[in-house]
Amino acid sequence: MLRRLSFFSLFFLLAALLVTDLAGLQLTRRLDWQLGDWLLRQHSATRAANSDVVIVDIDQKSLEEMNEVAGKWPWPRSVHAELIDYLAAQQPAAIVFDIMFNEPDTFGTESDALLRDTASQYPNLYFAQTRLEDGTPQLLAKLPASVGLRRTAQAASDAAAVLLLPTVLAPEAWRGGLINFSADEDGIGRHYLFYDAVAGWQLPSLPYRLALDQHWLAPEQPLPTRFRLNWQQAHPHISYSSLYQAANSANNPRPANEFRGKIVLIGTAAPGLQDLRPTPLSQSYPGVEILATAIDNLRHGDWLRDSPGWPLIGAGLLIMGILLYGFHNKTNTLILGGGMLAITLFAILLSRWALSRQLYLPVAGPLVWSWTYFWLAALMAYLAEKASREQAIAMFSRFLDSRVVGELIANGQINVGQKAQSREVSVLFSDIRGFTTLSESQSPEFMVELLNRYFSRQVAVIFKHGGTLDKFIGDAIMAFWGAPVDDPRHAERAIAAALDMSRELDIFKQELAAQGAQFDVEAFDIGIGIHTGPAVVGFIGADSRLDYTAIGDTVNLASRIEGLTKGVSRILVSNDTQIACTASGSQAYDFINQGTHSVKGREQAVTLFEPQVKA
């Protein structure tokens, strides 16, 4: 009951955090950005850029080829004036400069004058503007109408901003807008400005100014301050130098109406000019390509719209509710985990599909909170189960070997009320020879330490071969195979364990000799006896003290066989064990007949064998 209450408490806690997060706290926003960026990269590869937006690229090739004609960058502005004349003759929809013209030309006033005169001739020329944080502010009310400022009813007459404008041109040619990079808190640019708001004034971006002038958007259309870019493949690029050379060629090889009706952007993607920005597509994405994407999005109305928050909140609560139901009803955690994986895959695919419908679904937030609930609830379920297991082990370990306890609990078979049953088992007894004599010559502390080391090694061998350790009897070990789990190869496994115990003893003796043991290491030896037959196995004892053990004549005979090993062989097994081993299909051992021996308490003599691994 307490565990189920905890599942409910965890649900309400994480549900509150999910609602708070998606409603405004935005704890998972960075994860949404990362997932969204990955999806946008996949999506952009499927979106071909529209050919009506063309980039005239001041690329590395142009910087090298124009060096002979115009010198090093920046070139005389008369070069741009010549290109404007060439482009304007083809009647493009607009010519847009992604280059700043706010400082006088270093080549002289004549170059600026030519650009100024040329720019005044064409009403479809647009120039970049930039808003800065530091500098001398300008009163917005005094700027020319060509800048494109939009005055709202709340506009302050004394509003000012620091702006870089194309001041080398005549004020009536300052037509353009802001190209400020709109980065999120992680420095990645995912949006572009519609406008920048200053004290009731709207400073339009260059794409938005184009959209208004070209009637892609209505001036009264309510818009947020920025929009999410719907990324595409790269737009067509034409090298600036190639176009300039064509414009000055007597035999122009380029089409006569190459740019008719198109938006022509003049900017740079050359790495050396450093107009590169971090975007979801690349950490060094050309600024002119960002501008082209924004213009393309507004021209075709396919920028990404953000999903409202309530469907995402509802989806997250629904997923956590399903998990709550599952954990409350003790559904297998692996099944719930598989369900979460399926939901996660579906959410990602849904988000990917939504991008094709110009909708941005930030699904990482609901998924993160749902996965958080899953893992915490799974941990609570595991800890509750672990506590239950530990309680059972603590209860039963006082009368049962801990390995047997773990196995029975795992199988759901632990039951102290279960009656003892007759099973066919193979019982092994191992005893140290001459232990009494050895203990008389050594201190009790030394003997305890020696026995602990010896027992640890031998018990490890028994467990390795699947045996059940029954008990220690002084310096003797009793173990058996065939219970609590049925095993048709119990005789074979008991023999394998005995041979390994013998080898482990030899290794132990070598270590004792190397450590300079103060007793006759060679005299430290063991005898092992094994007998196979029926025995009563189960919980036996008083209510205050129970042991999982085996009793019966089979146990007694195994003990007697161990006593007969001295002077005969370190390991002896009964004829019944030899027969059971062979009957299980084992061909691994040879059995050397060590004769027939009388056993105390039995009228009939027993034939004993020494097992050896076949060569």
Side-chain angles (χ1 to χ4, degrees):
M1 181 63 181
L2 180 61
R3 181 175 71 169
R4 295 180 181 181
L5 285 176
S6 298
F7 289 145
F8 278 97
S9 301
L10 180 63
F11 171 82
F12 287 117
L13 172 62
L14 292 183
L17 288 173
L18 181 146
V19 173
T20 305
D21 174 27
L22 300 187
L25 194 58
Q26 298 182 324
L27 297 173
T28 57
R29 179 169 52 185
R30 289 182 180 270
L31 293 173
D32 270 319
W33 286 341
Q34 292 174 9
L35 177 59
D37 290 351
W38 178 77
L39 290 171
L40 284 169
R41 284 193 292 273
Q42 317 307 312
H43 178 60
S44 66
T46 66
R47 276 174 44 85
N50 292 288
S51 60
D52 50 11
V53 179
V54 180
I55 296 174
V56 177
D57 188 359
I58 304 172
D59 53 11
Q60 190 61 36
K61 172 178 176 292
S62 297
L63 295 177
E64 295 172 0
E65 292 183 351
M66 294 289 291
N67 194 40
E68 297 181 3
V69 178
K72 293 184 177 179
W73 180 265
W75 304 321
R77 286 172 179 150
S78 58
V79 171
H80 300 311
E82 293 178 50
L83 191 65
I84 290 172
D85 284 331
Y86 172 74
L87 292 171
Q90 298 189 29
Q91 298 180 343
I95 301 172
V96 181
F97 276 89
D98 187 25
I99 303 170
M100 300 302 299
F101 295 109
N102 60 299
E103 294 180 349
D105 194 332
T106 56
F107 292 92
T109 57
E110 297 83 359
S111 182
D112 277 349
L114 180 59
L115 178 63
R116 185 182 305 112
D117 293 342
T118 301
S120 298
Q121 299 177 34
Y122 303 108
N124 62 342
L125 278 179
Y126 292 84
F127 296 92
Q129 306 168 6
T130 304
R131 183 185 177 193
L132 303 178
E133 294 297 327
D134 299 320
T136 303
Q138 304 175 62
L139 285 175
L140 301 182
K142 292 186 176 182
L143 292 177
S146 60
V147 173
L149 297 179
R150 303 186 70 198
R151 185 169 188 165
T152 68
Q154 295 79 31
S157 58
D158 59 348
V162 181
L163 298 173
L164 292 184
L165 301 170
T167 52
V168 300
L169 307 177
E172 61 270 17
W174 289 4
R175 188 181 307 102
L178 300 178
I179 59 169
N180 287 71
F181 182 64
S182 181
D184 291 319
E185 292 177 4
D186 60 351
I188 305 297
R190 302 176 178 88
H191 300 78
Y192 212 95
L193 291 175
F194 274 119
Y195 57 86
D196 199 356
V198 179
W201 294 81
Q202 292 181 357
L203 286 64
S205 69
L206 187 47
Y208 185 40
R209 177 67 185 278
L210 268 173
L212 293 174
D213 291 354
Q214 300 287 328
H215 306 292
W216 303 336
L217 296 173
E220 65 275 7
Q221 181 176 346
L223 296 169
T225 58
R226 63 179 191 167
F227 60 96
R228 188 179 294 275
L229 291 169
N230 194 359
W231 300 95
Q232 305 159 304
Q233 299 172 15
H235 287 79
H237 281 235
I238 300 173
S239 179
Y240 190 107
S241 60
S242 298
L243 200 60
Y244 184 81
Q245 291 166 4
N248 289 276
S249 173
N251 298 311
N252 186 351
R254 305 191 69 87
N257 294 313
E258 183 177 5
F259 302 106
R260 181 180 295 274
K262 296 185 178 182
I263 306 295
V264 182
L265 269 66
I266 302 174
T268 177
L273 297 185
Q274 299 181 342
D275 186 21
L276 303 173
R277 299 289 185 267
T279 70
L281 305 190
S282 170
Q283 284 294 316
S284 53
Y285 201 69
V288 67
E289 193 69 61
I290 300 174
L291 178 60
T293 301
I295 293 173
D296 198 327
N297 284 178
L298 295 189
R299 181 165 190 170
H300 297 92
D302 62 353
W303 69 88
L304 294 175
R305 278 72 171 178
D306 288 329
S307 167
W310 64 264
L312 300 171
I313 293 174
L317 293 176
L318 176 61
I319 297 171
M320 284 199 292
I322 293 172
L323 291 173
L324 171 62
Y325 178 84
F327 281 109
H328 178 76
N329 290 281
K330 298 183 179 180
T331 303
N332 188 292
T333 303
L334 291 177
I335 295 177
L336 294 175
M340 275 301 301
L341 287 174
I343 290 173
T344 300
L345 179 60
F346 173 78
I348 292 174
L349 292 175
L350 178 64
S351 184
R352 176 69 176 80
W353 175 83
L355 289 177
S356 67
R357 300 298 186 272
Q358 291 81 56
L359 180 64
Y360 183 79
L361 282 176
V363 299
L367 289 176
V368 166
W369 288 114
S370 298
W371 275 109
T372 301
Y373 180 81
F374 169 79
W375 286 114
L376 290 178
L379 178 62
M380 289 170 54
Y382 167 75
L383 292 177
E385 188 66 26
K386 183 172 181 289
S388 177
R389 286 174 58 89
E390 289 175 347
Q391 182 180 12
I393 290 173
M395 179 185 301
F396 292 105
S397 288
R398 60 188 178 88
F399 53 80
L400 187 61
D401 173 70
S402 60
R403 186 190 68 85
V404 178
V405 174
E407 185 174 8
L408 294 178
I409 290 177
N411 294 333
Q413 297 175 357
I414 191 163
N415 180 9
V416 295
Q418 181 180 347
K419 295 181 179 180
Q421 297 176 333
S422 178
R423 309 277 284 270
E424 181 169 301
V425 296
S426 291
V427 181
L428 177 149
F429 271 87
S430 172
D431 193 15
I432 299 175
R433 294 174 181 166
F435 180 76
T436 302
T437 302
L438 177 60
S439 62
E440 291 174 352
S441 62
Q442 303 294 328
S443 67
E445 294 79 8
F446 174 81
M447 293 306 301
V448 170
E449 192 270 340
L450 180 67
L451 276 179
N452 286 341
R453 293 172 60 187
Y454 164 75
F455 281 149
S456 295
R457 290 170 174 266
Q458 300 291 59
V459 170
V461 172
I462 292 170
F463 287 167
K464 171 186 171 183
H465 291 278
T468 299
L469 178 67
D470 189 304
K471 61 175 68 73
F472 299 110
I473 309 169
D475 60 326
I477 300 173
M478 175 185 169
F480 54 86
W481 282 256
V485 179
D486 287 328
D487 182 3
R489 300 173 58 192
H490 56 81
E492 177 188 350
R493 296 187 192 279
I495 293 171
L499 291 169
D500 263 5
M501 291 169 71
S502 178
R503 284 190 288 269
E504 190 64 33
L505 173 67
D506 292 334
I507 296 171
F508 183 51
K509 289 166 66 174
Q510 292 173 8
E511 291 181 5
L512 290 175
Q515 295 168 3
Q518 302 299 313
F519 63 92
D520 184 4
V521 174
E522 290 303 319
F524 187 78
D525 206 350
I526 61 173
I528 300 176
I530 303 174
H531 177 56
T532 300
V536 177
V537 183
F539 295 100
I540 298 173
D543 292 340
S544 59
R545 175 64 182 178
L546 291 174
D547 289 313
Y548 189 80
T549 187
I551 61 173
D553 184 61
T554 297
V555 177
N556 297 333
L557 183 53
S559 177
R560 297 286 188 266
I561 293 173
E562 183 279 319
L564 295 171
T565 58
K566 187 173 183 180
V568 180
S569 174
R570 180 180 283 178
I571 304 171
L572 289 175
V573 304
S574 69
N575 186 50
D576 291 332
T577 299
Q578 182 263 337
I579 293 173
C581 179
T582 304
S584 68
S586 173
Q587 303 293 326
Y589 306 109
D590 288 324
F591 293 91
I592 301 173
N593 193 321
Q594 294 294 346
T596 301
H597 299 261
S598 297
V599 177
K600 183 179 179 181
R602 294 176 65 94
E603 296 181 359
Q604 187 176 357
V606 295
T607 302
L608 301 179
F609 297 85
E610 177 187 355
Q612 292 184 351
V613 178
K614 284 186 177 180

